[in-house]
Amino acid sequence: MSNSKIFKLIDLIEDVKKVDKMIALHQKAENSNFMLTQYQAKKIKLTGYLITELNSPPFKSATSFLFIKHFLDKFFVDSLSSLDSNDKELSDFSKLEAAL
């Protein structure tokens, strides 16, 4: 694994942290729903890119999957708690978890 790839991923994680701070800032403001959704979309896009990179060589491993889980737990746990429990997608994933 080259240092440049590691530094690229570290920069990506730092970008997610910055966007997460902006989301927190706009969640406090009453009239910034548009910017909030823009930052949330950017956070999802950056996270998708990070997961894609970690799921491809030379990173793909059980360790990278554990890191992805830790990352999602840290940056998206609040998003999951705000989902409606009747949401069909959430229900489908609950079925998958039960199959484990």
Side-chain angles (χ1 to χ4, degrees):
M1 217 177 323
S2 72
N3 281 341
S4 64
K5 289 184 180 185
I6 292 293
F7 290 133
K8 181 180 173 183
L9 294 178
I10 291 170
D11 287 343
L12 191 56
I13 293 168
E14 291 299 320
D15 288 343
V16 172
K17 286 181 179 179
K18 290 174 188 174
V19 170
D20 206 42
K21 287 180 183 176
M22 293 304 294
I23 289 171
L25 178 73
H26 285 283
Q27 282 175 331
K28 293 176 185 174
E30 293 284 325
N31 59 351
S32 63
N33 196 27
F34 175 74
M35 291 303 297
L36 176 63
T37 58
Q38 294 297 309
Y39 282 118
Q40 288 170 333
K42 184 172 182 171
K43 180 179 172 182
I44 290 169
K45 183 178 179 180
L46 291 170
T47 299
Y49 184 70
L50 177 67
I51 290 171
T52 299
E53 288 295 312
L54 290 171
N55 195 26
S56 60
F59 300 108
K60 189 175 184 176
S61 67
T63 305
S64 70
F65 291 130
L66 288 173
F67 176 81
I68 290 169
K69 182 191 178 317
H70 179 71
F71 178 87
L72 293 175
D73 287 345
K74 180 173 180 160
F75 289 101
F76 287 92
V77 73
D78 294 335
S79 301
L80 292 175
S81 64
S82 67
L83 288 175
D84 183 6
S85 61
N86 294 324
D87 188 277
K88 182 180 179 346
E89 184 177 343
L90 184 60
S91 174
D92 291 343
F93 280 109
S94 295
K95 291 175 189 173
L96 289 175
E97 285 182 19
L100 288 175

